[in-house]
Amino acid sequence: MAKIAAKVYGDALFDLAVEENRCDQLLEEVYTVEDALAGNPEVETLICHPGISSEEKQGFIEKCFKGKISDDMTGFLLVLVKKGRFQERNAIFAYFISKIKEYKKIGVAQVASPFPLNQKQQEKIEKRLLETTNYKKMEITYREDPSLIGGLVIRIGDRVVDTSVKSRLEELKTQLLGIALDA
């Protein structure tokens, strides 16, 4: 159910952003709201508390955010409170962010390597990813995974390119076991 809510509310916010040509502004406001709530976890506790009326929660939202973000974003937060969906805000915002990045052709990739990559290697990977995808820009997160032994594992959305020595050894092992079993 949470996935459906994230899609419905995320799509509504995305449609507003595109229709009004305010993708960058609303994206920035989403980050502002996330930062404000992450820095004050008691606010979310208060807004999600079942013992506090919806009207009190809405008043609190207006007091916290009115004038700091657009009326549209404040209204969106108020709708989430009214509909009892505020606790699903993280999933809704994550969905919205991914839609905006896809719309703006910004790819998000995770690259795992067995050792730290230097700046030149990272630039080469980014250049290659831009050449082989439809993205105009890439946001890449690099991490070390010594178990890979060599090569890289690159993940963009649900696509994975695994050139690691570890996976090649596992494939070889599977093939050898298949030969041994057939004999």
Side-chain angles (χ1 to χ4, degrees):
M1 190 68 160
K3 276 189 173 186
I4 294 170
K7 182 176 177 1
V8 169
Y9 288 94
D11 280 338
L13 189 58
F14 174 75
D15 291 344
L16 173 71
V18 171
E19 283 175 22
E20 295 189 3
N21 197 24
R22 294 173 47 210
C23 292
D24 292 334
Q25 178 194 353
L26 290 176
L27 182 62
E28 189 61 39
E29 289 181 7
V30 162
Y31 289 132
T32 299
V33 170
E34 284 184 329
D35 289 345
L37 293 172
N40 300 296
E42 62 279 354
V43 171
E44 183 158 4
T45 303
L46 179 87
I47 295 171
C48 294
H49 194 282
I52 299 174
S53 74
S54 180
E55 292 77 23
E56 288 176 297
K57 293 174 184 180
Q58 292 171 48
F60 188 73
I61 290 284
E62 286 186 346
K63 186 176 180 182
C64 287
F65 293 108
K66 194 92 170 156
K68 296 177 180 85
I69 57 176
S70 70
D71 289 345
D72 288 331
M73 183 58 73
T74 303
F76 184 76
L77 295 174
L78 292 172
V79 167
L80 294 181
V81 169
K82 285 179 195 172
K83 300 290 185 180
R85 298 289 186 184
F86 195 83
Q87 67 277 8
E88 297 169 42
R89 182 197 75 261
N90 290 332
I92 293 167
F93 283 172
Y95 180 85
F96 170 76
I97 291 167
S98 70
K99 290 275 289 188
I100 290 289
K101 287 182 179 181
E102 195 65 36
Y103 178 75
K104 296 180 78 169
K105 297 204 178 284
I106 300 171
V108 179
Q110 293 84 36
V111 177
S113 64
F115 50 83
L117 299 173
N118 62 38
Q119 187 67 32
K120 190 173 182 178
Q121 291 168 321
Q122 290 180 4
E123 289 170 1
K124 188 175 178 181
I125 290 168
E126 181 175 4
K127 182 179 179 210
R128 183 72 176 133
L129 289 175
L130 288 171
E131 289 171 353
T132 58
T133 64
N134 294 325
Y135 297 116
K136 295 179 182 176
K137 182 180 173 188
M138 293 298 299
E139 292 179 359
I140 305 173
T141 305
Y142 295 93
R143 70 176 178 86
E144 284 182 60
D145 183 353
S147 73
L148 297 178
I149 304 168
L152 299 171
V153 176
I154 301 171
R155 181 180 305 272
I156 301 174
D158 59 355
R159 294 179 292 171
V160 177
V161 176
D162 187 346
T163 63
S164 68
V165 173
K166 177 183 177 180
S167 69
R168 290 188 179 167
L169 287 172
E170 288 173 5
E171 288 173 18
L172 184 60
K173 177 182 172 184
T174 303
Q175 290 174 357
L176 290 172
L177 285 173
I179 291 170
L181 294 175
D182 291 341

